Amino acid sequence: NAGVTQTPKFQVLKTGQSMTLQCAQDMNHNSMYWYRQDPGMGLRLIYYSASEGTTDKGEVPNGYNVSRLNKREFSLRLESAAPSQTSVYFCASSVVGAGETQYFGPGTRLLVL
Amino acid sequence: AQKITQTQPGMFVQEKEAVTLDCTYDTSDPSYGLFWYKQPSSGEMIFLIYQGSYDQQNATEGRYSLNFQKARKSANLVISASQLGDSAMYFCAMRGWLQGAQKLVFGQGTRLTINP
């Protein structure tokens, strides 16, 4: 039982390049999330998926797109990377219901030059 | 809008002492949850403890307890008998509901350093 996994662990991009961050969970959770963490700050929600087939914007969605491929997988795409997107990206999942906890993946460190 | 405030950017504590990390929150939702996460230097986010807004008792998980004072809108984390391995960033977060999914709003964190 791996929990939440993310690939890659680290990536360097040039401005304007595109890439997709992958996330998968094996806990049969309904909801999945993408957050970013900037230095000295807490996490901010980029996009989320309440259930398979649905996605919605969070607090900071500009410059990102997501795909909920199936119940297990939720990917985050940067179409044209900008230096402001340099951050650590975390994927999380949870079961909908009162008191359920979000469990996080190990994170992806992204540097945009 | 929901907001979490952690007013202690950093704390230094002697090993084996108890430590309290402060967290205040603001929300107009009657139903909410409060979480604490630990982020060691390796970077992962580790769930520590949860308190629901309707829970009558303060939550406890081993050495962690949550001092929940609803009237004061505070949810402080207490770590008893601190250990060197407790050195990390600690984040308080509030759960709200956003179109059928949970939304977590995080505070800015407190960096805890345990001295031997």
Side-chain angles (χ1 to χ4, degrees), chain A residues 31 33 35 37 40-43 45 48 50 56-57 59 90 94-102 104 106, chain B residues 35 37 39 41-45 47 50 89 91 95 97-109:
Chain A
S31 300
Y33 311 82
Y35 292 88
Q37 183 180 29
M41 297 182 67
L43 280 67
L45 184 64
Y48 67 97
D56 284 287
K57 295 178 181 179
E59 302 168 82
F90 287 96
S94 70
V95 173
V96 174
E100 290 298 330
T101 299
Q102 288 191 21
F104 286 81
Chain B
F35 299 81
Y37 285 86
Q39 187 176 42
S41 57
S42 51
E44 71 269 32
M45 295 289 288
F47 165 69
Y50 164 78
M89 282 289 287
F91 290 97
R95 183 200 71 216
W97 295 101
L98 190 62
Q99 297 179 2
Q102 295 183 56
K103 169 187 172 178
L104 278 182
V105 175
F106 284 82
Q108 292 195 315

Side-chain angles (χ1 to χ4, degrees), chain A residues 45-66:
Chain A
L45 184 64
I46 305 172
Y47 268 94
Y48 67 97
S49 171
S51 60
E52 188 178 353
T54 69
T55 61
D56 284 287
K57 295 178 181 179
E59 302 168 82
V60 288
N62 291 345
Y64 305 95
N65 284 301
V66 291

Side-chain angles (χ1 to χ4, degrees), chain B residues 27-94:
Chain B
T27 182
S28 56
D29 291 338
S31 175
Y32 53 90
L34 294 151
F35 299 81
W36 279 91
Y37 285 86
K38 173 183 178 181
Q39 187 176 42
S41 57
S42 51
E44 71 269 32
M45 295 289 288
I46 302 168
F47 165 69
L48 295 178
I49 195 166
Y50 164 78
Q51 179 86 40
S53 57
Y54 294 122
D55 293 342
Q56 296 297 316
Q57 305 262 5
N58 284 346
T60 60
E61 290 285 348
R63 294 187 299 112
Y64 304 109
S65 60
L66 202 153
N67 184 1
F68 182 47
Q69 299 188 43
K70 199 169 182 177
R72 297 180 61 185
K73 294 189 173 181
S74 74
N76 298 339
L77 176 70
V78 180
I79 306 174
S80 63
S82 58
Q83 303 171 355
L84 295 177
D86 294 333
S87 294
M89 282 289 287
Y90 288 81
F91 290 97
C92 180
M94 170 184 291

Side-chain angles (χ1 to χ4, degrees), chain A residues 2-110:
Chain A
V4 181
T5 56
Q6 292 181 236
T7 55
K9 285 188 169 56
F10 180 70
Q11 184 74 45
V12 179
L13 291 179
K14 294 181 180 177
T15 297
Q17 287 185 319
S18 62
M19 79 163 294
T20 300
L21 282 65
Q22 306 286 355
C23 173
Q25 53 92 10
D26 62 2
M27 296 177 283
N28 201 35
H29 285 172
N30 296 324
S31 300
M32 298 185 73
Y33 311 82
W34 276 105
Y35 292 88
R36 62 177 286 174
Q37 183 180 29
D38 298 314
M41 297 182 67
L43 280 67
R44 292 182 294 168
L45 184 64
I46 305 172
Y47 268 94
Y48 67 97
S49 171
S51 60
E52 188 178 353
T54 69
T55 61
D56 284 287
K57 295 178 181 179
E59 302 168 82
V60 288
N62 291 345
Y64 305 95
N65 284 301
V66 291
S67 296
R68 184 73 182 267
L69 304 169
N70 47 56
K71 191 170 186 179
R72 291 187 64 249
E73 298 173 287
F74 188 38
S75 62
L76 178 73
R77 183 160 179 84
L78 287 70
E79 290 292 349
S80 179
S84 61
Q85 294 178 304
T86 293
S87 190
V88 180
Y89 292 85
F90 287 96
C91 177
S93 69
S94 70
V95 173
V96 174
E100 290 298 330
T101 299
Q102 288 191 21
Y103 293 93
F104 286 81
T108 294
R109 292 186 176 273
L110 177 65

